[in-house]
Amino acid sequence: TVQQGTGPVQGIIIAPTAASIAVGGTTTLSATLLGTGTLPAARFRSAQPAIATVDSISGVVRGVAPGVATIIA
């Protein structure tokens, strides 16, 4: 029997924590839930989509332009 946790979610770890991506290149992020709570799925977004975009579900990040971007889950 598989049961979902019902306790609090304490945080999410995104890996890798940093990456260098060439313009047009990609990398894939993963999200790990901390604590005993559950989330249906992590959703990703880019704080600087002019520099890097991210697929909200798959976590695939694509370099758009030179610079630094923060990806949030």
Side-chain angles (χ1 to χ4, degrees):
T1 302
V2 176
Q3 298 179 345
Q4 289 185 312
T6 57
V9 173
Q10 297 173 343
I12 297 174
I13 295 176
I14 299 174
T17 57
S20 294
I21 306 168
V23 173
T26 63
T27 194
T28 302
L29 302 176
S30 65
T32 302
L33 177 67
L34 299 176
T36 58
T38 59
L39 290 175
R43 296 284 191 249
F44 297 97
R45 71 177 177 87
S46 175
Q48 293 81 21
I51 296 171
T53 60
V54 61
D55 181 280
S56 65
I57 297 172
S58 71
V60 174
V61 180
R62 178 172 302 277
V64 177
V68 177
T70 301
I71 306 299
I72 302 162

